[in-house]
Amino acid sequence: MERLVVDGWGRFLGVEDGQIVVKERKGKSYSVICRSLPSDLRQVVIAGKGSLSSDAIDVLAHHGVDLIFLDWRGGVSARLSPPMLRTVNTRREQYRCYDTEKGAALAKAFIRAKMKNQMAVLGTYAKTRVQADPNTAEALRVARESIERIASELESVSGTACDAVRGTIMGMEGCATGVYWNAISKIVDESFGFNHRSGRYAGDPVNALLNYGYAILEGECWRAVHYAGLDPYGGFLHVDRPGRASMVYDLIEEFRQQVVDKSTLKLLSHRQIRTENFEVVDGVCRMDDATRRLVLSELLMKMDDRVRYKDKLWRWSDLILHQAREVAKFLRGESGKYEGFWLRW
Amino acid sequence: MVYYLNEIESKNLLKNLRPLTRKVGVSEDLRGWNWNRTPLSPYRPVLLPMYLICSNYCPTSRDLYLKRVEKRRGEWNHPLSLGKVIHDTVARAYTLAREGEFDVPFDDWYRMQRYEDYMKGNLPLIQTYARMVYDYILSQARSQFNVAMSSHPFSAKRDMLLASVPFLVEHTINGELLGCSSVLSIDCYDYLHNIIFDLKVGGNRDETHRLQPAGYALVFESIYEIPVDIGGTVYLWFQNNQLIARKDLFPIGDHLRSWWLEMRDRRAELVHEERDPGMPAECPPSCIYRSVCGV
């Protein structure tokens, strides 16, 4: 076991004989439902209402295990990570590169990868539909071509600092993302009422699912950024703002489509999620507990799933960590180029 | 050498490539036998020869537009003539070797091809080079055959020929399932090592040269349903009247397969829409449509 998810009510995470145990309350007593060696764990996710002992925190920290707490949106409400080594150098370079060509190149690399992944998703869905629904397939293909044009324009953007290129890059990103979601909305069942990406406050089930998925991905990217020795708040593409983990948001751009969008669309197309699983509370669309668990388990399974990239077989979470480390290597000058992650399909 | 692996290549294959392909594997969706599913199924009903999918003669792919949309023929030039003759010669030599005919004279066959009727370039030099290749292949195949016979003295000659010259050259295969022409010709399939080779005449290595074996591997899998995980590009060139042969062996993994699919779809799109992609900034010197575009 590498990732332990403690989900549900009344569960307790503790230590017994050097092992991490999860206990569940039954009546007045607790029974052990899971037991694992801390050395086998990579991450512990607390997603429900439960409690944990300080012994457990100590043991997990000692073994370098990441401990995160998720809220109902999937957002990381708190995290505990062991102290890092070798971060000063990396962080110094991270801050210094912000005003250099390197910083601008990084900002561009994140969005280049994002656009290529958007193209891949659209191209794959277009091909899937070419026989059954040629009109939709054509719309997807045309959208893919539009993004390709924007991506080729992106190549001509150059600058000597992040501030010099950010506006242009974000403008292009906005265009591409608009085209992408407009095309994706054509393959989502109309009953979900999905017309556009609404961001933080979901107005419809698809946006609620995406927000939850991105929040889980954010947790994974945060972990990667932290372990790579980078400052999560020192971004290149996303502007500095108090409390905003801009570096995490930068890295997340490469992975949104392949990790979250595809998983979400798969759940929708397999009809594992229905409109009745959602309710609108104070204008925000929320999913029920069963759906939340389903999405969480789908995405955590995805993180442990394997992907073939650059002739290697990666676990998604390892690949995210690898990319964060590549950013750090690039900033420290140990590599001459940073290439964002993208797949062709 | 040509299609035989030398000592270093064999070690590389056994110690690096094979373990790598076993460890990493290939996504099931990208195996040729899933030709009827996304992402392998072609988007457009256009069938293209492999060289038009994978070639990078023209930076804008205008050669494809001229060939398939305007139906124009390119002009023979020296590199094209040399390439064609060397491909023919390699195929001829291996075909003879597989039949155990190691002493057939080169000149009789060469004369019958009547290359001088339509080709352009330094034809006497091309003939000299072709003879070098022919002699080289036959002498090497003979040597391999003798080694095999001496190791297995009670075996049938035909069996030893099949084992010592394990190459299907110019193997014809139907590529329609994957949006390719109905008649594709694979330069070489090494059936004992399960490697698909593509032959290039010239010494300039290029990443895009790996696309052709990848495409053939997909087609091969679509027809025979046998996984092909390793490809090779054989580079043959001539320097100071010396034949030089080098190989690039590589895994045909997800990256190459999806790259090939992207190229196929892009090229098919261009033909389907009959869209002129425009002139390149500069024409490559060896392009057969140089007289048409001439930038």
Side-chain angles (χ1 to χ4, degrees):
Chain A
M1 185 192 295
E2 301 222 345
R3 190 196 309 268
L4 175 64
V5 181
V6 184
D7 193 5
W9 295 79
R11 289 185 176 164
F12 172 76
L13 190 86
V15 182
E16 263 184 24
D17 302 328
Q19 293 178 320
I20 294 291
V21 292
V22 181
K23 292 179 178 177
E24 190 173 44
R25 189 173 187 161
K26 284 189 179 157
K28 288 188 176 176
S29 62
Y30 279 92
S31 60
V32 174
I33 56 170
C34 176
R35 188 183 282 275
S36 56
L37 286 169
S39 53
D40 289 345
L41 293 172
R42 206 156 40 101
Q43 189 176 54
V44 173
V45 179
I46 312 282
K49 300 275 183 187
S51 56
L52 76 164
S53 71
S54 57
D55 278 355
I57 295 174
D58 192 45
V59 168
L60 292 172
H62 183 71
H63 286 87
V65 183
D66 206 31
L67 176 61
I68 64 169
F69 297 82
L70 297 185
D71 64 17
W72 64 270
R73 286 185 299 264
V76 179
S77 53
R79 83 174 315 124
L80 292 166
S81 303
M84 287 299 301
L85 299 170
R86 204 197 164 185
T87 61
V88 173
N89 224 1
T90 308
R91 290 187 183 215
R92 266 200 194 122
E93 291 302 324
Q94 186 180 357
Y95 305 138
R96 199 180 64 76
C97 287
Y98 182 83
D99 286 322
T100 67
E101 279 178 11
K102 264 189 177 181
L106 267 182
K108 205 167 139 180
F110 293 130
I111 291 304
R112 181 190 295 120
K114 177 178 185 169
M115 287 183 186
K116 288 193 181 248
N117 282 318
Q118 286 174 333
M119 285 160 56
V121 171
L122 293 176
T124 304
Y125 286 126
K127 276 198 255 184
T128 312
R129 284 160 177 77
V130 69
Q131 299 295 336
D133 187 358
N135 290 338
T136 306
E138 192 55 15
L140 292 164
R141 190 195 64 76
V142 170
R144 184 192 189 281
E145 267 193 4
S146 302
I147 296 177
E148 191 173 7
R149 271 195 296 276
I150 300 168
S152 66
E153 285 169 25
L154 178 74
E155 296 310 318
S156 61
V157 177
S158 63
T160 52
C162 287
D163 287 338
V165 296
R166 180 186 292 115
T168 317
I169 292 178
M170 286 307 248
M172 289 177 172
E173 188 269 342
C175 286
T177 301
V179 171
Y180 173 74
W181 287 115
N182 184 39
I184 292 290
S185 70
K186 296 183 190 341
I187 59 171
V188 176
D189 195 293
E190 281 179 8
S191 62
F192 287 106
F194 176 64
N195 299 315
H196 64 284
R197 257 305 276 150
S198 58
R200 188 177 294 175
Y201 299 106
D204 59 87
V206 178
N207 274 301
L209 290 169
L210 290 169
N211 288 353
Y212 193 70
Y214 290 151
I216 293 165
L217 178 62
E218 184 190 326
E220 201 65 41
C221 288
W222 192 303
R223 172 181 174 271
V225 163
H226 176 72
Y227 280 94
L230 293 160
D231 180 348
Y233 297 95
F236 295 91
L237 181 67
H238 290 85
V239 72
D240 291 351
R241 198 176 289 163
R244 182 195 232 186
S246 299
M247 184 66 238
V248 177
Y249 287 127
D250 283 1
L251 185 65
I252 213 174
E253 297 294 356
E254 302 178 8
F255 295 98
R256 285 181 195 275
Q257 298 72 32
Q258 298 286 356
V259 177
V260 179
D261 297 1
K262 275 186 167 179
S263 302
T264 307
L265 291 168
K266 190 181 106 187
L267 287 173
L268 291 169
S269 68
H270 289 188
R271 300 189 186 283
Q272 287 175 274
I273 290 173
R274 295 170 185 280
T275 48
E276 51 266 31
N277 299 133
F278 297 83
E279 61 172 348
V280 177
V281 179
D282 298 331
V284 180
C285 186
R286 293 174 66 157
M287 62 188 95
D288 59 26
D289 263 4
T291 309
R292 188 180 57 77
R293 278 204 196 111
L294 175 69
V295 179
L296 180 66
S297 107
E298 178 75 22
L299 280 168
L300 293 183
M301 254 162 49
K302 175 93 176 184
M303 293 300 175
D304 287 335
D305 230 356
R306 307 282 173 144
V307 56
R308 291 172 182 86
Y309 178 62
K310 291 193 172 173
D311 288 332
K312 279 190 186 170
L313 196 57
W314 303 86
R315 204 195 318 258
W316 276 101
S317 52
D318 292 339
L319 180 59
I320 294 171
L321 179 59
H322 167 78
Q323 287 299 101
R325 284 182 174 148
E326 287 296 302
V327 171
K329 273 164 71 178
F330 176 65
L331 292 171
R332 290 195 299 262
E334 290 165 19
S335 65
K337 189 183 166 198
Y338 173 74
E339 193 187 345
F341 158 80
W342 56 278
L343 293 177
R344 284 193 163 85
W345 64 292
Chain B
M1 205 170 63
V2 187
Y3 297 132
Y4 287 108
L5 303 182
N6 67 22
E7 209 174 336
I8 302 293
E9 288 157 355
S10 290
K11 283 182 189 293
N12 181 31
L13 178 74
L14 296 176
K15 297 287 185 192
N16 288 332
L17 283 171
R18 288 267 185 247
L20 179 76
T21 54
R22 283 185 202 123
K23 191 175 161 194
V24 176
V26 170
S27 295
E28 182 61 16
D29 290 339
L30 292 173
R31 286 292 190 190
W33 51 76
N34 285 316
W35 52 269
N36 56 335
R37 296 198 330 222
T38 310
L40 262 60
S41 53
Y43 188 80
R44 296 292 190 198
V46 174
L47 302 180
L48 292 171
M50 192 63 79
Y51 79 94
L52 281 181
I53 292 173
C54 306
S55 73
N56 59 345
Y57 292 123
C58 177
T60 68
S61 305
R62 194 155 197 266
D63 56 332
L64 169 68
Y65 169 78
L66 292 169
K67 172 92 181 164
R68 289 301 298 265
V69 181
E70 291 203 359
K71 312 278 183 207
R72 297 178 82 148
R73 286 190 154 197
E75 281 187 7
W76 285 94
N77 56 26
H78 182 75
L80 184 68
S81 305
L82 179 63
K84 159 81 175 146
V85 171
I86 298 299
H87 272 81
D88 288 356
T89 305
V90 170
R92 166 72 177 164
Y94 276 115
T95 306
L96 289 173
R98 282 167 57 80
E99 291 164 359
E101 301 285 348
F102 299 111
D103 297 312
V104 177
F106 168 76
D107 289 319
D108 294 348
W109 168 79
Y110 192 86
R111 233 185 336 269
M112 282 165 59
Q113 305 309 306
R114 304 182 65 87
Y115 288 127
E116 65 281 3
D117 290 355
Y118 58 98
M119 282 189 177
K120 281 184 187 164
N122 187 343
L123 295 180
L125 186 66
I126 289 175
Q127 184 173 357
T128 305
Y129 287 163
R131 186 185 285 111
M132 287 163 70
V133 171
Y134 183 89
D135 292 343
Y136 175 80
I137 290 171
L138 281 178
S139 63
Q140 199 183 25
R142 183 207 295 268
S143 151
Q144 295 288 332
F145 173 66
N146 289 340
V147 169
M149 279 306 281
S150 59
S151 306
H152 305 277
F154 304 110
S155 300
K157 182 184 174 188
R158 172 161 289 275
D159 191 35
M160 286 301 97
L161 280 170
L162 290 171
S164 58
V165 194
F167 308 118
L168 294 182
V169 286
E170 297 297 332
H171 178 59
T172 305
I173 193 165
N174 189 327
E176 283 184 46
L177 296 175
L178 282 170
C180 302
S181 306
S182 57
V183 181
L184 294 178
S185 193
I186 300 176
D187 283 348
C188 173
Y189 174 57
D190 178 341
Y191 50 78
L192 288 187
H193 296 102
N194 194 16
I195 300 174
I196 281 183
F197 286 111
D198 186 50
L199 178 66
K200 296 278 176 211
V201 179
N204 293 331
R205 281 195 183 191
D206 190 323
E207 185 78 8
T208 57
H209 292 162
R210 292 182 171 192
L211 283 170
Q212 202 139 323
Y216 283 130
L218 281 160
V219 172
F220 201 88
E221 288 174 350
S222 76
I223 299 292
Y224 300 118
E225 307 212 357
I226 291 170
V228 181
D229 291 343
I230 293 173
T233 310
V234 177
Y235 293 93
L236 283 186
W237 74 100
F238 306 89
Q239 206 169 300
N240 303 325
N241 281 331
Q242 170 73 46
L243 168 66
I244 302 175
R246 295 271 189 276
K247 268 191 217 76
D248 173 30
L249 291 175
F250 47 86
I252 301 178
D254 280 16
H255 166 70
L256 266 184
R257 287 164 188 262
S258 52
W259 187 9
W260 183 83
L261 289 171
E262 187 180 298
M263 290 292 280
R264 179 201 65 181
D265 292 340
R266 275 172 190 275
R267 302 276 160 116
E269 193 68 46
L270 196 147
V271 173
H272 183 80
E273 289 187 352
E274 302 191 344
R275 175 165 40 92
D276 185 346
M279 303 282 194
E282 198 179 345
C283 281
S286 60
C287 181
I288 58 173
Y289 290 104
R290 207 172 156 78
S291 60
V292 180
C293 307
V295 182

